[in-house]
């Protein structure tokens, strides 16, 4: 375990470096922010002087070096829209996204596991067909479309939930369903196929032969084993549900990191974009690591 | 690491994950009432609270650096004078104003005007405001005030503005955001960064909460110098970038007014009981900016005229906006000095003539004209659809069109670096309500590198009109300039835009002003 952690930490460093290079490189290639900061009437001298002030006239690698040095201390510069430290603006929005992402995951799990089991147990029946069909459709549906449909049905027609915003749990239900829909579909299919595979195993036959009831066979013996891969899905999906909900948060005007990033890109508030992308990247790395550890913990066949 | 020894651990582990997820989700949301999320888009309906849904947030609360979007600012700050929709300038912070000579304007302020922090607004604040915008040319509004030479404080309530040249549009400069009077003392105390987070003006509403790109909460200012001017104690402005979200909020009663409703949503709003689309005239004209520099085929005036003849302006307005919008051959809209009705509400469309002009310029089927049309995405109402339709119309005339679709920020960069190709779709408003602003772009001293257009007569007319005080004489000059421009086409005008606001008719009555600024005091509570 210790060896594994050390190895992972060593992997962490180059990954982080590559991410920082990508984050910086993309913004660098996106063009010259000075043009947008100055009015149309600015003279070439003013443009040149602002570029010098901001250090934008230095070579790429020098600029990257400065960026990296500051990034390591969490300093991504000051957002010109918020007049505040970029990382702290992003961190302010993180709890909202965290809550939404976790709720979406909760929704996905609570829907997909029972459906997956049900579907496997009723293999090749109408119910099975319906569930697998629905999960394919759900996975294929673009998030924004699902979000708009949910709003039309539950907010506009039935008026059960608010259209947009945040503040109460009812504001989060529709965005969480829209966001978690794809993940739910994916886990449903995974649980179904794992369940089917597990039910064909010898030890299940043995358990049945021992005279165990069908419920005990399924829930005590089969389910445990077929849920292991779900952990992988959770740890892979969760960072995206938290940090990658750009479209959902925009459709529902939900003030999380996703909405912040979309608005920052539109306004070319690059310090926010860099801080946000960096944070999400770290989230992904850390969650992957946790997922790995958890997986190894529950599945004894995997060695460190 | 000790390994789990019993199978039971697996199940416990999964339970633990589920419990953790649940606890975290509810734990985080459970504490929201305490203000974890300050913004709440679905604002509860209260009798005296006006709820506005806006597509875009403010660039900044600094009135000198905000660009063109006035709605929140114009409620918080005051200007010396105001302009009515029929073109008259009326006193506002200034109880009277007078042009002393060609170079000097004098303004006498109301006494006892209070800023939101209780301090008095005096001539010193006027001087401070104008000195700042004139002196700092990094401010967006700065070029608009370039004619000001000096601001003199004669006494605490009298101020004179002295210009470098005779300036016939001084009042037009002062009516917009850049003319918003800011409190010198407070501004200097807190600095610009803090000022933009906690702005203070003298307007009818004060800012009580400002979450960038999310929400602005305004509250009626009890000591407003004109007294109680509005039906609303409070106004909540929420940023809702998605058009469908704005419309859904309007329909479900979550908003009283939403801006920028696209045509695809009109039927839904008008079909719903109690909500309606209110169209308003704006000064914005959608046009093709032509690059007439000699390396481009559009340097040939016949090519520009052919393009104009190939575009059916009326079809565009009918198809996209159900006829709401006016085809035009000029930038000067009704009610503005020098308005020339000969060129307004009219258009040239004649495909055969377009083809003949192209043939005359040396293009035919074996040697077709090929050009690039640059189109912004999400900058104007239906801009990319519009670009595609214009492109298709040009193709009917035998022109090969290469499209370049540009994201808003990229578009600005391309334009500002003069990397515009033959045609670029653009829209310019006229927030000063004077021909000076839109026509001066075509003075070769302004954007020659970008436009490549020079006509000495036009330059002379524009220069003279800019320094002529007599409005009749100016109008004549601008009318002549418009005639030349409609023939030579450095800009190919398409239509004058209307803008579309959705309102809850059970809550408000609203007559949209041509400035597009939503003044809360103008919104009457419905009976």
């Amino acid at each position: 375990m210790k060896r594994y952690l050390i190895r992972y930490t060593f992997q962490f460093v180059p990954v982080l470096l590559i991410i920082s290079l990508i984050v910086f490189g993309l913004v660098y290639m996106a063009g010259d922010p000075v043009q947008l900061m100055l009015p149309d009437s600015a003279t070439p001298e003013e443009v040149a002087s602002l570029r010098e002030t901001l250090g934008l006239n230095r070579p790429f690698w020098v600029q990257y070096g400065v960026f990296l040095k500051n990034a390591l201390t969490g300093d991504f510069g000051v957002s010109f829209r918020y007049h505040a430290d970029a990382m702290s603006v992003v961190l302010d929005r993180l709890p909202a996204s965290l809550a939404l992402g976790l709720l979406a995951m909760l929704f996905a799990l609570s829907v997909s596991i029972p459906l997956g089991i049900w579907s496997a147990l009723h293999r090749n029946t109408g119910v099975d067909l319906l569930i697998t069909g629905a999960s394919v459709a759900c996975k294929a549906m673009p998030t924004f479309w699902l979000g708009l449909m949910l709003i039309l049905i539950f907010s506009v027609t039935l008026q059960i939930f608010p259209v947009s915003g945040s503040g109460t749990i009812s504001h989060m239900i529709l965005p969480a369903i829209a966001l978690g829909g794809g993940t739910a579909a994916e886990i449903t299919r995974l649980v179904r196929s794992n369940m089917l595979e597990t039910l064909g195993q010898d030890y299940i036959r043995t358990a049945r032969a021992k005279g165990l009831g069908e419920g005990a066979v399924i829930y005590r013996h089969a389910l445990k084993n077929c849920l292991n891969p779900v952990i992988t899905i959770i740890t892979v999906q969760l960072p995206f549900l938290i940090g990658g909900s750009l479209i959902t948060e925009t459709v529902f005007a939900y003030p999380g990191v996703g909405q912040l990033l979309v608005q920052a890109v539109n306004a070319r508030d690059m310090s926010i974009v860099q801080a946000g992308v960096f944070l999400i990247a770290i989230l992904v790395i850390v969650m992957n690591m946790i997922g790995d550890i958890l997986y190894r913990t529950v599945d004894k066949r995997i060695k460190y | 690491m000790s390994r789990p020894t019993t199978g039971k651990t697996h199940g416990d582990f999964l339970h633990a994950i589920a419990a953790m997820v649940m606890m975290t989700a509810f734990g985080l949301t459970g504490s929201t009432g305490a203000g974890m999320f300050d913004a709440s888009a679905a604002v509860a309906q209260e009798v005296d609270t006006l709820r506005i849904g806006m597509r875009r947030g403010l660039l900044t609360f600094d009135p000198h650096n905000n660009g063109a979007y006035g709605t929140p600012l114009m409620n918080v700050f005051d200007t010396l004078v105001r302009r009515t929709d029929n073109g008259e300038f009326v006193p506002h912070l200034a109880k009277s104003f007078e042009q002393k000579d060609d170079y000097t304007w004098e303004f006498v302020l109301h006494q006892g005007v209070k800023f939101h922090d209780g301090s008095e607004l005096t001539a010193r604040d006027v001087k401070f405001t104008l000195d700042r915008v004139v002196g700092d040319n990094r401010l967006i509004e700065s070029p608009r005030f370039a004619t000001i030479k000096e601001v003199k404080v004669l006494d605490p309530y009298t101020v004179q503005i002295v210009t470098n040249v005779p300036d016939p549009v001084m009042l037009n400069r002062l009516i917009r955001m850049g003319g918003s009077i800011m409190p010198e003392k407070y501004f200097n105390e807190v600095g610009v960064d803090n000022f933009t987070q906690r702005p203070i003006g003298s307007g009818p509403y004060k800012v009580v909460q400002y979450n960038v790109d999310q929400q602005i909460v305004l509250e009626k200012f009890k000591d407003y110098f004109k007294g109680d001017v509005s039906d609303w104690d409070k106004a909540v402005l929420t940023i809702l970038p998605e058009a469908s979200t704005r419309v859904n909020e309007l329909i479900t009663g979550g908003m009283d007014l939403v801006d920028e409703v696209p045509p695809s949503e009109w039927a839904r709003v008008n079909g719903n009981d109690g909500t309606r689309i209110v169209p308003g005239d704006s000064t914005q004209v959608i046009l093709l900016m032509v690059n007439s520099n000699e390396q481009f085929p559009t340097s040939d005036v016949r090519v520009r005229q052919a393009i104009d003849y190939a575009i059916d302006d009326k079809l565009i307005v009918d198809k996209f906006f159900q006829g709401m919008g006016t085809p035009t051959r000029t930038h000067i809209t009704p009610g503005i000095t020098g308005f020339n009705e000969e060129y307004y509400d009219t258009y040239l469309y004649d495909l055969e003539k377009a083809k003949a002009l192209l043939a005359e310029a040396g293009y035919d089927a074996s040697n077709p004209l090929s050009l690039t049309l640059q189109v912004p995405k999400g900058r104007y109402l239906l801009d990319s659809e519009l670009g595609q339709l214009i492109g298709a119309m040009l193709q009917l005339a035998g022109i090969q069109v290469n499209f370049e679709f540009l994201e808003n920020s990229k578009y600005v960069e391309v334009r500002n670096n003069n990397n515009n190709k033959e045609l670029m779709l653009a829209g310019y408003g006229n927030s000063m309500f004077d021909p000076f602003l839109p026509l001066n772009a075509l003075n070769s001293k302004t954007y020659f590198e970008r436009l490549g257009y020079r006509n000495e007569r036009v330059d002379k007319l524009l220069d003279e009109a800019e320094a002529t005080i007599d409005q009749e004489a100016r109008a004549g000059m601008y009318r002549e300039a418009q005639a030349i421009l409609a023939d030579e086409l450095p800009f190919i005008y398409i239509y004058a835009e209307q803008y579309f606001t959705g309102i809850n008719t059970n809550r408000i009555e609203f007559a949209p002003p041509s400035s597009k600024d939503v003044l809360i005091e103008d919104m009457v509570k419905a009976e």
Side-chain angles (χ1 to χ4, degrees):
Chain A
M1 178 68 187
K2 204 187 271 170
R3 231 178 43 224
Y4 168 74
L5 277 177
I6 292 168
R7 204 176 65 219
Y8 207 96
T9 317
F10 274 111
Q11 283 171 359
F12 193 80
V13 175
V15 170
L16 216 57
L17 274 177
I18 293 168
I19 289 167
S20 70
L21 191 61
I22 293 172
V23 168
F24 180 79
L26 282 178
V27 170
Y28 185 86
M29 283 189 293
D32 186 353
V34 170
Q35 289 294 340
L36 282 154
M37 290 161 132
L38 287 172
D40 286 7
S41 58
T43 62
E45 293 77 43
E46 284 163 8
V47 172
S49 112
L50 183 59
R51 296 181 71 155
E52 192 165 336
T53 317
L54 296 174
L56 295 171
N57 55 349
R58 287 176 289 178
F60 176 85
W61 289 107
V62 177
Q63 288 189 46
Y64 171 66
V66 173
F67 166 79
L68 190 63
K69 190 175 136 250
N70 292 335
L72 287 177
T73 59
D75 177 7
F76 287 84
V78 170
S79 153
F80 75 91
R81 307 249 302 128
Y82 289 79
H83 301 282
D85 173 58
M87 189 46 103
S88 67
V89 172
V90 176
L91 288 175
D92 275 354
R93 296 286 193 101
L94 190 61
S97 288
L98 210 58
L100 182 60
L102 290 173
L103 195 65
M105 183 54 85
L106 178 70
F107 161 76
L109 289 176
S110 54
V111 169
S112 62
I113 294 176
L115 283 184
I117 296 170
W118 185 272
S119 180
L121 296 181
H122 300 80
R123 188 184 184 183
N124 292 339
T125 62
V127 186
D128 179 30
L129 215 62
L130 190 74
I131 292 174
T132 37
S135 59
V136 170
C138 207
K139 185 73 196 156
M141 236 185 272
T143 317
F144 77 90
W145 191 82
L146 182 59
L148 290 178
M149 287 305 119
L150 289 171
I151 292 176
L152 273 184
I153 296 167
F154 293 101
S155 305
V156 176
T157 309
L158 301 175
Q159 308 218 347
I160 301 173
F161 296 110
V163 173
S164 69
S166 68
T168 66
I169 189 83
S170 71
H171 283 101
M172 299 174 66
I173 304 285
L174 295 185
I177 294 174
L179 190 58
T183 308
E186 204 167 309
I187 299 178
T188 306
R189 291 170 57 75
L190 186 75
V191 170
R192 178 182 178 275
S193 60
N194 281 341
M195 195 62 157
L196 286 175
E197 197 191 316
T198 314
L199 287 176
Q201 299 275 333
D202 288 346
Y203 73 92
I204 296 292
R205 199 162 0 116
T206 312
R208 282 192 179 130
K210 280 196 301 188
L212 275 182
E214 193 60 16
V217 170
I218 289 161
Y219 294 105
R220 217 182 305 150
H221 290 258
L223 183 61
K224 278 185 315 209
N225 285 315
C226 85
L227 285 189
N228 286 351
V230 173
I231 296 169
T232 314
I233 296 277
I234 293 175
T235 53
V236 169
Q237 289 286 326
L238 201 55
F240 291 103
L241 293 184
I242 293 166
S245 53
L246 280 76
I247 294 164
T248 312
E249 290 187 5
T250 303
V251 168
F252 288 92
Y254 185 86
V257 177
Q259 192 199 35
L260 178 72
L261 278 180
V262 171
Q263 286 168 332
V265 168
N266 284 337
R268 284 222 174 172
D269 194 346
M270 288 310 179
S271 48
I272 296 271
V273 176
Q274 289 175 329
V277 173
F278 211 73
L279 185 74
I280 293 169
I282 290 177
L283 216 60
V284 172
I285 298 175
V286 171
M287 284 303 291
N288 273 343
M289 184 174 77
I290 293 173
D292 255 9
I293 296 171
L294 288 181
Y295 200 67
R296 283 153 206 255
T297 311
V298 288
D299 193 335
K300 288 173 280 183
R301 289 168 299 184
I302 295 170
K303 297 269 188 294
Y304 294 114
Chain B
M1 176 91 214
S2 66
R3 291 188 178 168
T5 48
T6 65
K8 206 176 173 203
T9 318
H10 296 208
D12 289 350
F13 169 73
L14 286 165
H15 285 147
I17 289 190
M20 206 171 72
V21 169
M22 216 178 296
M23 270 161 48
T24 324
F26 287 106
L28 284 171
T29 53
S31 64
T32 57
M36 170 178 264
F37 313 118
D38 291 336
S40 151
V43 184
Q45 180 173 328
E46 285 164 26
V47 182
D48 296 318
T49 300
L50 181 69
R51 299 158 307 158
I52 298 175
M54 302 191 301
R55 179 177 155 221
R56 288 173 298 163
L58 278 180
L59 195 55
T60 162
F61 252 114
D62 179 349
H64 290 153
N65 221 2
N66 184 50
Y69 196 41
T71 290
L73 272 79
M74 299 306 278
N75 291 292
V76 175
F77 297 98
D78 273 320
T79 50
L80 292 174
V81 289
R82 278 186 172 180
R83 180 187 183 274
T84 62
D85 248 1
N86 56 25
E88 235 184 305
F89 290 98
V90 292
H92 191 57
L93 279 178
K95 65 180 177 193
S96 66
F97 55 91
E98 185 188 359
Q99 185 164 22
K100 290 294 211 191
D101 58 53
D102 279 3
Y103 295 85
T104 313
W105 284 86
E106 188 171 292
F107 299 84
V108 179
L109 303 178
H110 283 283
Q111 298 195 5
V113 176
K114 293 265 171 60
F115 282 116
H116 300 152
D117 64 352
S119 62
E120 193 183 11
L121 184 153
T122 68
R124 284 190 57 87
D125 299 299
V126 178
K127 179 174 166 56
F128 163 75
T129 301
L130 295 176
D131 281 352
R132 174 174 187 254
V133 69
V134 173
D136 185 350
N137 57 12
R138 286 169 309 169
L139 298 169
I140 292 175
E141 293 278 333
S142 185
R144 293 193 175 190
F145 292 85
T147 57
I148 295 181
K149 184 175 153 200
E150 195 189 357
V151 181
K152 290 187 200 164
V153 175
L154 300 189
D155 65 51
Y157 303 105
T158 313
V159 63
Q160 274 188 354
I161 299 176
V162 183
T163 55
N164 297 312
V165 286
D167 185 359
V169 289
M170 177 50 70
L171 295 180
N172 303 66
R173 301 179 194 284
L174 295 174
I175 53 172
R176 293 290 302 151
M177 272 175 297
S180 299
I181 305 305
M182 304 199 286
E184 178 183 19
K185 189 161 168 282
Y186 176 73
F187 187 92
N188 286 335
E189 261 170 30
V190 300
V192 64
D193 283 355
N194 287 320
F195 183 84
T196 52
Q197 299 302 303
R198 292 185 299 280
I200 278 181
S202 62
Y205 284 86
K206 57 182 181 186
V207 180
V208 291
Q209 194 188 323
Y210 175 38
N211 297 329
V212 178
D213 283 343
Q214 291 178 46
Q215 202 166 61
I216 301 166
V217 181
L218 304 177
E219 203 177 85
K220 197 189 264 182
F221 177 43
K222 301 278 184 240
D223 292 327
Y224 187 51
F225 81 101
K226 283 176 130 179
D228 189 356
V229 292
S230 167
D231 286 353
W232 310 94
D233 288 345
K234 209 169 128 186
V236 182
L237 292 74
T238 309
I239 316 304
L240 302 168
E242 269 293 312
S244 60
T245 310
R246 288 196 298 282
V247 168
N248 287 330
E249 285 286 8
L250 180 72
I251 286 176
T252 55
M255 294 287 149
D256 301 318
L257 178 148
V258 296
D259 69 2
E260 299 193 42
V261 182
S264 57
E265 298 278 10
W266 293 352
R268 212 149 66 88
V269 176
N270 286 329
N272 180 53
D273 204 19
T275 57
R276 193 160 54 84
I277 295 291
V278 208
D281 288 322
S282 81
T283 56
Q284 173 140 307
V285 172
I286 299 294
L287 54 90
L288 291 175
M289 182 198 285
V290 186
N291 195 329
S292 304
N293 278 298
E294 56 188 346
Q295 67 268 37
F296 294 102
T298 36
S299 56
D300 186 335
V301 68
R302 290 168 300 186
V303 170
R304 301 201 292 269
Q305 288 166 343
I307 293 170
D308 194 22
Y309 275 116
I311 299 172
D312 186 345
D313 301 5
K314 183 85 172 71
L315 181 71
I316 290 175
V317 171
D318 287 346
K319 184 139 187 77
F320 284 141
F321 306 107
Q322 301 175 15
M324 290 200 259
T326 313
T328 181
R329 296 179 60 205
T330 178
H331 209 139
I332 310 308
T333 47
I336 289 170
T337 308
F339 170 64
N340 195 336
E341 58 185 8
E342 203 184 317
Y343 297 103
Y344 189 77
D345 201 3
T346 179
Y347 63 107
L348 298 178
Y349 172 65
D350 187 335
L351 211 48
E352 291 315 310
K353 221 163 184 171
K355 285 177 183 166
L357 279 162
L358 286 172
E360 212 179 290
Y363 300 100
D364 56 35
S366 61
N367 171 36
L369 168 64
S370 170
L371 51 74
T372 299
L373 171 60
Q374 292 165 315
V375 182
K377 277 164 76 178
R379 187 175 175 86
Y380 313 111
L381 198 55
L382 299 183
D383 47 13
S384 57
E385 290 88 344
L386 186 59
Q388 289 173 53
L389 181 58
I390 291 172
M393 287 172 171
L394 296 181
Q395 275 161 349
L396 279 181
I399 301 172
Q400 287 183 354
V401 181
N402 313 306
F403 292 99
E404 262 181 34
F405 292 98
L406 305 167
E407 291 298 338
N408 192 22
S409 54
K410 189 74 191 163
Y411 173 88
V412 173
E413 186 186 311
V414 167
R415 189 196 64 191
N416 290 4
N417 285 321
N418 302 327
N419 288 329
N420 51 313
K421 307 267 178 60
E422 285 90 350
L423 299 175
M424 181 178 236
L425 185 70
Y428 292 112
N430 183 0
S431 60
M432 277 170 63
F433 297 96
D434 190 86
F436 151 78
L437 188 65
L439 294 189
N440 242 29
L442 301 168
N443 189 324
S444 67
K445 289 195 276 298
T446 319
Y447 292 129
F448 186 73
E449 208 186 323
R450 184 177 306 167
L451 303 176
Y453 175 76
R454 178 178 288 133
N455 178 312
E456 281 170 14
R457 181 67 189 155
V458 171
D459 286 357
K460 188 164 178 290
L461 285 165
L462 295 178
D463 285 341
E464 261 180 46
E466 211 181 317
T468 303
I469 297 291
D470 178 359
Q471 294 292 346
E472 274 300 307
R474 292 183 74 222
M477 295 170 196
Y478 283 123
R479 268 195 284 270
E480 189 188 335
Q482 285 173 72
I484 302 172
L485 295 171
D487 187 46
E488 299 197 339
L489 299 168
F491 280 176
I492 298 172
Y493 301 107
I494 301 175
Y495 62 90
E497 220 180 32
Q498 291 199 328
Y499 70 106
F500 306 96
T501 310
I503 61 164
N504 182 335
T505 50
N506 296 325
R507 295 268 294 162
I508 59 171
E509 290 167 25
F510 175 57
S514 51
S515 66
K516 285 194 182 180
D517 294 337
V518 178
L519 291 186
I520 297 159
E521 57 185 280
D522 289 348
M523 245 146 333
V524 182
K525 220 181 253 183
E527 290 307 316

